Amino acid sequence: MRVVVAALLLSGLLVSGAAGQSTTYHPTVYAAASLTDAFPKIAPRARFSFAGSDTLAAQIRQGAPAGVFASANTRLPLGLYRDHFCSKPVVFTRNALVLIVPASNPARIHGVYDLRRSGIKLVIAAQSVPVGAYTRQVLKNLKLSGVLRNVVSQESDVREVLAKVALGQADAGFVYSTDSRTVAGKVKTIRLPARAQPNVQYGICVVSASGHKAAAHAFVKNVLGARGQRILRRYGFLPRVEPKH
Amino acid sequence: MLVGGPFFGAAAVALAFLALPVVAIFTRVPPGRLARLLSNPVVTDALVVSFKTTAIAQALILLFGTPLAYLLASRRFPGRTLLVTVVELPLVLPPAVAGLGLLAAFGRFGLLGSTDRALGIDVAFTQTAVVLAVAFVASPLYIRTAIAAFEGVDADLVAASRTLGAGSTRTFFRVVLPLARNGLAAGEALAFARGLGEFGATIMFAGSLQGVTQTLPLAIYAAFSLDFDVALAMGALLVVVSAVLLVTLRLILSWQPSRRTSRSLVAPSS
């Protein structure tokens, strides 16, 4: 056993030697896939791991070396907080869902009700992924849960839904409005009725096991600050507090 | 003494490193709960999809791969090395690249996409797509082993069969195939194991839907973020299946009516 541990230490040494030592510490941020474009603009030197929020939460529960967890819902970070894996989450931005179709629109879908036609290849995210849960909520709000029978694939994060529609492989998919903007020209965006919109709130927290809490806290402060919020807004995210009607 | 303590130490590290992750899967899945976890519909659906698609892919690999392997083994022509490289390439290709390639070729907007549409075929997100992904990544293992097996068949026996009046088809089925049998079976076992574990190309090309395209590896990936115990149970199942395949492979190889065939298996074809 001792020799195995020694070998692990040796491989660790080799890897850290190869990576080079830096004097200032940059936070490791585990963030929802929808933040792929915006977050590096807020902190270019931070290290990011973008994936489905549910996958990231599962990795943090298994001891992943995350400093910050930014989720596309509040349920996952609240769950981590309850189990003492992270600090109390705060809402840092909001988003909205849209329906997208490939630019060539092979199935001629012009509204969400067209999804009822049989034979349509609809791609959504899995139930455990925040956007997957929101998608089911939208369909429920519109009394369209029946279109779930047209689902041909359940993806593990929102960007995989986006990729499959942008490629023309799928006829339609549900993503955040911020995602559809990243592939302008490849997809057509169809807005959803306001009454169908779920309350998409993004929660952020500092991971308890993080070795460098100061850097993690600084990142969260940046995201909540005026500059961070301005960058998020530029990428189409909504203000973190819903404006009063 | 030829080797000393450090030598054994290094060997122990290698052994422990390879064994530990596999052992760890079983220590974290309580055997009592294994049966209940494996009766979860997600698991049974994935099992059915996995075995069905892998079986169909293997049938196609045998049907189309065997003639290709035989021709590459028995003929010498300019460009043969290039062809062998093309056949073996998917073996070393990263699965994600395989997925991209399949999308670019057979996707709705791929090279053959418009031909497919004209024929009324749409493989997007169907089990056919899973079969294509599995066949693409697994067939090189079979073909490669089969080439070696065919090359190991004694040319004198083939010549004797022809001299005695058997046609080339008859010679292939009555002489070559029985002599290469072990090698072909070994290649098939390897291809089956590789096909069963296919992940990257499938998730990119076929998507993931329970009961349709969600194979065991895809179900493990999905379960990882939902229920770690279910993921572990499926992992344990795949470890057992893979081990059985490997043992079968060893048995096939140690069984030897045709000694030359099995010996030449390990060496890559020239």
Side-chain angles (χ1 to χ4, degrees):
Chain A
M1 206 61 218
R2 221 163 12 134
V3 77
V4 176
V5 173
L8 282 178
L9 288 176
L10 179 68
S11 68
L13 215 66
L14 292 174
V15 171
S16 59
Q21 294 294 316
S22 59
T23 42
T24 54
Y25 184 77
H26 303 290
T28 303
V29 179
Y30 278 37
S34 46
L35 296 160
T36 303
D37 304 278
F39 261 18
K41 290 286 184 298
I42 295 178
R45 314 263 328 249
R47 285 180 298 184
F48 292 101
S49 173
F50 295 107
S53 303
D54 58 329
T55 305
L56 297 173
Q59 288 172 348
I60 290 169
R61 284 178 187 274
Q62 295 296 321
V68 176
F69 176 46
S71 170
N73 64 10
T74 49
R75 193 181 62 81
L76 285 165
L78 272 173
L80 288 183
Y81 167 64
R82 263 198 300 276
D83 297 338
H84 310 291
F85 283 103
C86 78
S87 65
K88 193 169 185 199
V90 290
V91 173
F92 69 94
T93 197
R94 291 179 311 116
N95 213 337
L97 250 66
V98 292
L99 176 66
I100 53 166
V101 298
S104 59
N105 200 356
R108 296 195 186 80
I109 294 164
H110 303 288
V112 68
Y113 289 95
D114 289 338
L115 294 177
R116 287 179 299 189
R117 288 206 310 264
S118 63
I120 283 173
K121 288 182 188 285
L122 175 64
V123 170
I124 63 175
Q127 169 87 52
S128 59
V129 190
V131 71
Y134 295 135
T135 300
R136 284 160 181 81
Q137 203 184 324
V138 164
L139 292 173
K140 199 167 162 238
N141 293 348
L142 293 168
K143 298 191 167 49
L144 277 175
S145 295
V147 308
L148 288 174
R149 68 168 191 278
N150 282 336
V151 170
V152 291
S153 184
Q154 302 205 9
E155 303 293 327
S156 62
D157 70 53
V158 69
R159 291 297 166 105
E160 285 172 29
V161 178
L162 184 74
K164 287 203 160 105
V165 176
L167 206 59
Q169 208 45 19
D171 292 326
F174 284 94
V175 297
Y176 299 115
S177 64
T178 49
D179 297 303
S180 66
R181 293 161 57 125
T182 63
V183 289
K186 288 192 177 162
V187 300
K188 265 191 203 125
T189 304
I190 297 168
R191 287 174 57 182
L192 302 172
R195 64 192 158 85
Q197 279 296 343
N199 187 16
V200 182
Q201 292 186 316
Y202 283 56
I204 196 166
C205 63
V206 172
V207 178
S208 312
S210 165
H212 299 263
K213 283 246 176 54
H217 278 292
F219 179 84
V220 173
K221 216 174 134 195
N222 264 339
V223 169
L224 295 171
R227 185 176 152 272
Q229 291 293 306
R230 204 163 50 237
I231 290 170
L232 283 166
R233 215 81 61 79
R234 203 194 312 145
Y235 281 89
F237 287 90
L238 304 173
R240 69 194 190 98
V241 185
E242 201 169 353
K244 292 270 182 292
H245 293 295
Chain B
M1 197 167 122
L2 207 58
V3 292
F7 201 87
F8 284 107
V13 169
L15 188 65
F17 175 68
L18 292 176
L20 212 55
V22 177
V23 173
I25 287 178
F26 286 97
T27 57
R28 292 197 56 171
V29 192
R33 291 186 56 210
L34 198 61
R36 197 171 53 78
L37 289 170
L38 291 179
S39 61
N40 183 322
V42 171
V43 181
T44 50
D45 279 355
L47 202 61
V48 170
V49 171
S50 263
F51 275 98
K52 186 180 164 193
T53 52
T54 310
I56 296 172
Q58 297 313 314
L60 293 174
I61 289 171
L62 288 177
L63 200 63
F64 291 94
T66 311
L68 176 60
Y70 183 62
L71 289 179
L72 287 173
S74 57
R75 305 285 160 93
R76 289 291 176 274
F77 51 88
R80 179 181 171 278
T81 317
L82 180 72
L83 280 193
V84 173
T85 310
V86 168
V87 167
E88 289 182 346
L89 196 57
L91 197 64
V92 290
L93 222 51
V97 180
L100 281 180
L102 288 166
L103 277 171
F106 305 107
R108 289 170 114 186
F109 290 88
L111 279 181
L112 297 182
S114 48
T115 322
D116 286 350
R117 258 201 308 282
L119 294 171
I121 309 168
D122 190 356
V123 300
F125 306 108
T126 61
Q127 279 189 345
T128 310
V130 182
V131 170
L132 290 179
V134 170
F136 184 73
V137 300
S139 53
L141 271 172
Y142 170 74
I143 295 173
R144 194 174 197 270
T145 322
I147 292 175
F150 285 133
E151 282 176 347
V153 173
D154 195 336
D156 292 343
L157 293 177
V158 178
S161 165
R162 297 303 303 274
T163 327
L164 291 172
S168 56
T169 314
R170 194 170 149 84
T171 301
F172 177 77
F173 283 104
R174 301 298 293 275
V175 178
V176 177
L177 214 50
L179 284 174
R181 193 181 57 198
N182 279 10
L184 299 184
E188 171 50 30
L190 283 174
F192 192 90
R194 174 66 184 86
L196 208 55
E198 195 347 85
F199 175 77
T202 310
I203 206 163
M204 286 180 78
F205 181 54
S208 173
L209 188 68
Q210 187 187 334
V212 183
T213 55
Q214 192 175 71
T215 59
L216 270 176
L218 267 56
I220 290 175
Y221 184 60
F224 167 68
S225 47
L226 263 181
D227 189 339
F228 198 63
D229 283 348
V230 174
L232 278 169
M234 283 189 277
L237 181 67
L238 269 185
V239 170
V240 172
V241 172
S242 307
V244 168
L245 280 171
L246 204 59
V247 171
T248 313
L249 180 69
R250 291 222 154 273
L251 287 178
I252 294 170
L253 289 179
S254 58
W255 215 6
Q256 13 202 326
S258 53
R259 188 179 299 270
R260 292 192 51 188
T261 306
S262 24
R263 205 183 324 121
S264 57
L265 262 182
V266 242
S269 69
S270 50

